[in-house]
Amino acid sequence: MQPRKLSFGLIVRWLAIGVASLWLLAALTLIAAKWIDPPTTAVHLERRMEAWIHGKPYHERYDFVPLSQISPAFQHAVIAAEDARFYQHHGFDWQAMEIAAEGDMDGKRFRGGSTITQQLVKNLFFGTERSYLRKGAEFTLVPVAEFVLGKQRILELYLNEVEWGPGIYGAEAASRTYYGTSARNIDREQGARLAAILPLPLKRRPSRMDHYSAIILERMREMGW
């Protein structure tokens, strides 16, 4: 008796089941994140793996703090820099995406078109990889995050998980590393400088962000902050 051959349709079916299972796991993780602070993220794991592959030491600084322990000026600086319409959109800022696309065509761009919610989903589950598959999965998970978590929890998670330098994750670790103080004590100028390094956290440093921080401070003033 010959062994049964796997049909193409059966392979596709099992692949679909696998993809659906992974999506469900990610959605359940977002639901759990409403109450449980994530101990790590895909970006954390990616950086640790990169250090191991290249035989380099890796020291992670990561202290999760409540949103109430991050100064309003710091919060406002990050929103102004990364997602000015954070409180108006429902996960996607189509206007910002259009502006970012035009900036790509012109060869000039200050920030990408991704919202804070999109960046949070990417950081939690996908790391720094760029692919259409990742974008597609992200597109389906962003509405889940918006619906389940709400704006304040999304902002709290993002500020605590985002990469701020080599091995530096979250507002508290960034504040202590660059300014020797807690995130609750960061003022407008410091917040703008820290926010300015987010697009390229492994290359930029707050002390060299005079131009970008000035743009962010102006945006904050325009937004009433």
Side-chain angles (χ1 to χ4, degrees):
M1 187 175 180
Q2 290 185 341
R4 185 179 176 184
K5 292 183 179 179
L6 288 175
S7 68
F8 178 74
L10 186 60
I11 293 173
V12 171
R13 189 182 309 162
W14 279 110
L15 284 174
I17 291 172
V19 170
S21 298
L22 289 173
W23 186 92
L24 181 60
L25 178 62
L28 291 174
T29 300
L30 285 173
I31 293 172
K34 184 173 180 65
W35 301 281
I36 301 171
D37 301 333
T40 190
T41 71
V43 174
H44 297 201
L45 296 174
E46 179 182 335
R47 298 306 187 202
R48 189 177 291 120
M49 181 62 68
E50 287 174 349
W52 179 78
I53 290 173
H54 293 99
K56 295 180 179 180
Y58 178 80
H59 175 63
E60 185 173 294
R61 285 157 284 184
Y62 172 51
D63 298 301
F64 199 107
V65 297
L67 193 61
S68 60
Q69 292 183 26
I70 302 173
S71 73
F74 196 175
Q75 296 179 41
H76 295 161
V78 171
I79 293 172
E82 292 294 295
D83 189 359
R85 287 166 44 82
F86 176 65
Y87 290 111
Q88 281 75 53
H89 63 66
H90 299 288
F92 301 100
D93 188 346
W94 306 108
Q95 181 181 352
M97 290 181 189
E98 182 179 350
I99 293 171
E102 291 173 355
D104 280 340
M105 293 174 66
D106 295 338
K108 301 185 233 186
R109 186 167 64 159
F110 172 62
R111 60 166 292 266
S114 295
T115 63
I116 282 175
T117 312
Q118 287 176 271
Q119 292 182 58
L120 173 64
V121 169
K122 177 179 70 69
N123 291 342
L124 286 174
F125 301 116
F126 305 111
T128 60
E129 176 207 2
R130 292 176 180 270
S131 70
Y132 289 112
L133 182 61
R134 188 266 287 177
K135 276 292 184 183
E138 175 189 300
F139 190 85
T140 64
L141 288 169
V142 164
V144 178
E146 284 279 332
F147 178 75
V148 170
L149 299 174
K151 292 295 187 182
Q152 293 305 100
R153 181 58 171 167
I154 287 171
L155 183 60
E156 181 176 66
L157 289 168
Y158 176 77
L159 288 172
N160 278 286
E161 304 293 345
V162 72
E163 186 176 36
W164 247 299
I168 305 168
Y169 302 99
E172 183 69 13
S175 301
R176 293 195 178 279
T177 299
Y178 294 117
Y179 290 111
T181 188
S182 173
R184 70 168 68 200
N185 298 323
I186 293 296
D187 60 26
R188 288 169 53 84
E189 173 70 24
Q190 294 168 331
R193 287 180 175 275
L194 287 168
I197 71 175
L198 287 175
L200 294 169
L202 299 183
K203 296 181 178 180
R204 294 181 178 180
R205 293 296 176 268
S207 60
R208 300 197 293 267
M209 291 294 102
D210 294 355
H211 175 64
Y212 289 135
S213 65
I215 294 174
I216 293 169
L217 287 168
E218 179 58 30
R219 284 186 184 174
M220 291 171 69
R221 283 188 285 270
E222 291 173 357
M223 296 170 72
W225 291 332

